[in-house]
Amino acid sequence: MKSKLLQAVFSGIAATLVMTIVMFIGPFMGLPKMNPATMLSMMMGFPLFAGWVMHFMIGIIFALTFVFLFAPILKKINSRVLKGMIFGLAVFVFAQIMMAIMGAIFGEAPSSEGSMVLTIVGSIMGHIIYGIVVVLFVRNE
């Protein structure tokens, strides 16, 4: 149990870091500038540091969700990359729902620069990458 917990925490940190790096590189690939920590901090009126802490805590919570909820459901899928893609898409959908709820509570999130379609594409890509990294870091699912 402790091993699964530690795997989830470390995979959540690693996957969030990789996803964040990809988001910062995104504008060099034609995607809009996106900064989840800034969005969270501005939406909730917290300092930027708190946005970063929240961003990584959310990443850890999602990784815990994979280890304890999704991994047993996806155990029949042999491809770790496919598992990660499915999990990443689920995280993307959940994140969109939560952003809508937070927007209703705290006010609309600051919009990203550029095309909304490209923002969605970038967000889907980032979450799929996040999901793949989580699955690759978690052993003995």
Side-chain angles (χ1 to χ4, degrees), residues 85-100:
M85 291 174 72
I86 292 168
F87 177 62
L89 285 171
V91 170
F92 168 77
V93 169
F94 186 77
Q96 300 314 301
I97 293 167
M98 290 310 298
M99 287 302 286

Side-chain angles (χ1 to χ4, degrees), residues 54-68:
M54 289 170 48
H55 177 55
F56 276 88
M57 289 304 296
I58 291 167
I60 292 168
I61 290 167
F62 279 136
L64 286 164
T65 302
F66 173 77
V67 168
F68 293 105

Side-chain angles (χ1 to χ4, degrees), residues 1 4 8 12 19 23 25 27 33-34 47 53 67 72 76 83-84 94 99-100 102 106 112-113 127:
M1 177 84 154
K4 282 187 174 184
M19 176 184 173
M23 292 176 97
I25 295 171
K33 181 180 174 186
M34 293 181 279
V53 171
V67 168
K76 291 186 180 187
K83 282 182 190 181
F94 186 77
M99 287 302 286
M102 287 176 58
F106 297 106
S112 65
E113 301 169 9
H127 286 92

Side-chain angles (χ1 to χ4, degrees), residues 11-135:
S11 70
I13 292 169
T16 303
L17 181 62
V18 170
M19 176 184 173
T20 303
I21 290 168
V22 169
M23 292 176 97
F24 283 129
I25 295 171
F28 299 107
M29 298 182 293
L31 296 172
K33 181 180 174 186
M34 293 181 279
N35 186 330
T38 300
M39 286 177 38
L40 288 167
S41 66
M42 288 178 70
M43 180 183 285
M44 300 181 76
F46 292 154
L48 183 58
F49 177 77
W52 281 111
V53 171
M54 289 170 48
H55 177 55
F56 276 88
M57 289 304 296
I58 291 167
I60 292 168
I61 290 167
F62 279 136
L64 286 164
T65 302
F66 173 77
V67 168
F68 293 105
L69 180 65
F70 273 82
I73 293 170
L74 300 176
K75 68 183 173 188
K76 291 186 180 187
I77 298 173
N78 292 326
S79 169
R80 296 174 69 76
V81 172
L82 180 57
K83 282 182 190 181
M85 291 174 72
I86 292 168
F87 177 62
L89 285 171
V91 170
F92 168 77
V93 169
F94 186 77
Q96 300 314 301
I97 293 167
M98 290 310 298
M99 287 302 286
I101 291 170
M102 287 176 58
I105 295 171
F106 297 106
E108 287 300 314
S111 60
S112 65
E113 301 169 9
S115 163
M116 181 57 80
V117 172
L118 287 178
T119 300
I120 293 168
V121 168
S123 184
I124 290 171
M125 286 174 44
H127 286 92
I128 287 174
I129 291 167
Y130 168 86
I132 291 170
V133 173
V134 166
V135 173

